[in-house]
Structure formats: C-alpha cells, structure tokens
Amino acid sequence: MTDDRPERRRDAEATRRALIDAATALFTERGYERTTVRDIAARAGFNQALLFRYFGSKKALFSEVVARQGWQQVRDTPPERLLEVALRGLLDPGDGHRDRTLEVYLRSTGTGEARSETRRLLGREYTSVLATLTDADDAELRSDLILAWLLGIGLTRTVIGKDPIASADPDDICRLMLHASRTLLEKLPDDRSE
C-alpha cells in the first residue's frame, strides 16, 4: 500500500535561519578557520549537504552571517547612534541576544579567505553611515579611523583580553570613546553616555 500523503516540505527560510544562527555562534566562538561545515550543520541539526545546498560554501555562509547582521544593525540604527550601538555590542557581556557581527569579524579578520569579503561587506556599510556624521572633506577617512578604533577596542577586549580594557566598565569605555570621537565626527550627539 502506498502513502498518498504529500511529502512534508522543508521550511526553507527556517532552515536557512537555523544554519545562519549556528554558524554565527561557531564563528564567534572559534573564528572562521577553526569552524567546520560539519560542526555548523551538526549544531543546526542538519547534514552538510543541506548547508551546501542553501549556501554553496562555508565562505558564502560566512558572508551571509556578516552581511545579515551588519546590514540589519546599519539599517535599524539611527546614524548618530550607530557607533555607540556597535561599541556596546562588543563590550556588553554575552547574553545570547546582543549583536555579534563585529565579534565574528574580529575573530575572523586574519584569515585570507574571509578577510576581503568581510572587509567589503561590513566595513563599507559602517563607514558610509559614520561618514554622514561630519561635514569635513575627509569624511570617509574620519569614519574609517573611528571604525579602526572600534575594532581595536573590540580586539583588545574580546579576543586578546588585555586589561585594563578587558575589565573596564562598558559605560566608561563608551563615554570616553564617544567623547573623543566627536573630534572627528562632530555630529555625534553629546548627551548619550556623558
């Protein structure tokens, strides 16, 4: 006797989301190179073939992770708050709900395969928004300097764990960085963290 019930269709969007969520967690914990496709698929509860079907490669999945979170943060955050929101995402203790885009970026920037794609997808988005916070002719340079400083703070605190930055109160770091950043981005509001 044959079963005439229609084959249950996989929820493609839910599967993609589960794979992206698993990849985000693993890239954050281990970085790009030390995360395997097998580990991502296992954490999401699927096999590797499904990951390749939806994304084609680990590199493409990594790009999706960085792009999705970065674009969402840039899109959902007013330009004058983007620096503080991104900085707090790096500084606040992990509770599972914070944005981990820059942390994934930091743990993976040294890898050759992921480096150029990450820089293109994430750096350009953040710097273009930050550049709107100054009327200076060198707005792009100023915003790149701020992003480099932000990433340096994240690297020192999150990846290296060097004190006093690693143990400093996030509010203190935000207050000092935002105050100093106003010399380059004069449109940053001065009433946020001070």
Side-chain angles (χ1 to χ4, degrees):
M1 179 173 203
T2 61
D3 186 356
D4 292 330
R5 289 178 298 176
E7 186 178 315
R8 188 175 139 192
R9 301 196 76 207
R10 184 180 309 275
D11 181 345
E13 187 54 36
T15 301
R16 283 179 59 81
R17 234 182 356 263
L19 289 165
I20 290 170
D21 290 345
T24 300
L26 288 168
F27 289 145
T28 302
E29 291 167 16
R30 304 176 186 174
Y32 178 82
E33 292 296 332
R34 292 185 11 218
T35 298
T36 67
V37 170
R38 180 176 301 200
D39 293 338
I40 295 167
R43 177 149 317 171
F46 302 112
N47 65 41
Q48 295 176 70
L50 202 54
L51 185 146
F52 287 114
R53 177 176 162 206
Y54 282 99
F55 298 99
S57 68
K58 182 173 88 168
K59 179 181 178 184
L61 177 55
F62 178 79
S63 296
E64 182 85 15
V65 166
V66 172
R68 181 182 87 163
Q69 290 185 341
W71 288 329
Q72 182 177 349
Q73 187 175 72
V74 169
R75 185 184 67 239
D76 294 347
T77 307
E80 67 277 1
R81 296 222 44 245
L82 183 61
L83 178 58
E84 182 177 1
V85 168
L87 181 58
R88 287 196 182 277
L90 283 172
L91 299 175
D92 290 339
D95 62 3
H97 296 14
R98 70 182 171 126
D99 183 282
R100 300 172 89 174
T101 304
L102 294 178
E103 190 175 345
V104 171
Y105 177 88
L106 286 170
R107 291 192 184 275
S108 305
T109 55
T111 63
E113 187 177 337
R115 186 181 328 135
S116 63
E117 191 70 10
T118 302
R119 194 177 313 137
R120 184 180 71 77
L121 293 172
L122 184 60
R124 186 174 55 194
E125 295 298 322
Y126 281 87
T127 57
S128 67
V129 171
L130 293 174
T132 67
L133 299 174
T134 182
D135 292 326
D137 292 338
D138 59 354
E140 187 176 339
L141 174 60
R142 289 169 180 245
S143 63
D144 272 347
L145 287 169
I146 295 293
L147 183 61
W149 188 15
L150 174 68
L151 294 174
I153 291 169
L155 180 68
T156 302
R157 183 177 176 101
T158 307
V159 178
I160 298 171
K162 182 187 175 296
D163 279 323
I165 292 176
S167 61
D169 183 286
D171 290 335
D172 291 339
I173 293 174
C174 282
R175 179 180 48 77
L176 292 168
M177 183 175 175
L178 291 171
H179 177 75
S181 296
R182 287 184 198 100
T183 62
L184 294 174
L185 304 175
E186 71 276 359
K187 293 180 184 177
L188 275 174
D190 60 6
D191 59 348
R192 283 272 171 228
S193 297
E194 296 187 316

